[in-house]
């Protein structure tokens, strides 16, 4: 085993929380029909601050899921999961810290969100519980940047 002090990253999560959670369920008795689930994902860098020896940043990961059987809505889920991160200024430039927020931070929060949704939907009686797909964060970032560029035109 390798000692942690030799491999600890210069970028660390210091806190996380669910900012917003909404779950709406409906009883639908169509056991034979296929359930269609639509998932949407986004993230937002809320804040970056520079301090004497570190950077501080807040990022939010957002997911919106809707399941339908035919035209009837089975459930809706909306989650905003927030993480607070610090980066050591001795090892990171501010642009590297922002990049890490948008990649490493979003990856961590997406996994927390997946776990949270799985647990809460199981407790809510949704069977089987909702398993959000793993997503390609690089592709999410790229598509988000393209959407923002096209909005500014």
């Amino acid at each position: 085993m390798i000692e942690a002090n030799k491999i600890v990253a210069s970028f660390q999560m210091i806190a996380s929380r669910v900012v917003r959670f909404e779950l709406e369920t409906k009883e639908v008795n169509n056991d034979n029909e296929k359930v269609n689930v639509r998932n949407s994902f986004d993230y937002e860098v809320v804040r970056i601050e520079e301090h004497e020896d570190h950077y501080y940043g807040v990022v939010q990961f957002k997911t919106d899921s809707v399941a339908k059987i035919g035209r009837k809505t089975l459930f809706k889920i909306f989650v905003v999961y927030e993480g607070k991160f610090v980066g050591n200024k001795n090892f990171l430039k501010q642009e590297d810290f922002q990049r890490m927020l948008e990649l490493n931070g979003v990856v961590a929060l997406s996994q927390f969100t997946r776990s949270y949704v799985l647990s809460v939907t199981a407790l809510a009686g949704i069977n089987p519980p909702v398993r959000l797909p793993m997503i390609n964060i690089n592709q999410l970032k790229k598509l988000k940047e393209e959407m923002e560029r096209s909005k500014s035109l």
Side-chain angles (χ1 to χ4, degrees):
M1 304 267 302
I2 298 170
E3 291 181 42
N5 64 353
K6 294 180 181 178
I7 57 173
V8 170
S10 300
F11 177 85
Q12 293 291 319
M13 178 184 287
I14 57 171
S16 66
R17 69 186 180 115
V18 174
V19 173
R20 185 169 162 201
F21 172 71
E22 296 174 19
L23 173 64
E24 179 184 325
T25 62
K26 303 229 166 100
E27 187 170 353
V28 178
N29 294 325
N30 297 27
D31 292 333
N32 298 333
E33 289 189 54
K34 184 179 179 198
V35 176
N36 294 306
V37 180
R38 179 195 53 77
N39 296 301
S40 303
F41 303 97
D42 196 6
Y43 70 90
E44 177 184 359
V45 175
V46 176
R47 180 169 67 249
I48 295 178
E49 298 173 3
E50 185 173 352
H51 296 269
E52 189 174 318
D53 61 345
H54 69 278
Y55 300 108
Y56 170 82
V58 178
V59 64
Q60 293 182 344
F61 180 74
K62 303 169 185 182
T63 184
D64 188 22
S65 300
V66 177
K68 292 188 173 195
I69 295 178
R71 291 184 170 174
K72 296 180 182 178
T73 299
L74 183 58
F75 64 79
K76 294 179 184 178
I77 302 169
F78 182 75
V79 181
V80 177
Y81 216 118
E82 181 177 88
K84 297 178 181 181
F85 299 85
V86 292
N88 187 328
K89 282 177 68 175
N90 294 325
F91 298 99
L92 296 171
K93 296 176 187 163
Q94 186 164 353
E95 34 306 337
D96 294 332
F97 179 72
Q98 174 152 356
R99 211 171 7 261
M100 292 182 92
L101 276 177
E102 292 184 88
L103 294 177
N104 302 43
V106 173
V107 165
L109 294 173
S110 73
Q111 297 307 306
F112 286 2
T113 303
R114 291 180 75 233
S115 176
Y116 183 79
V117 168
L118 182 70
S119 298
V120 81
T121 56
L123 291 169
I126 297 174
N127 190 16
V130 177
R131 282 187 168 79
L132 294 176
M134 292 180 73
I135 60 172
N136 181 332
I137 302 299
N138 286 312
Q139 186 70 3
L140 172 64
K141 183 177 186 300
K142 178 183 170 193
L143 293 172
K144 181 177 178 70
E145 288 169 351
E146 288 173 5
M147 281 177 50
E148 288 172 355
R149 271 195 301 273
S150 68
K151 283 181 186 176
S152 65
L153 295 178

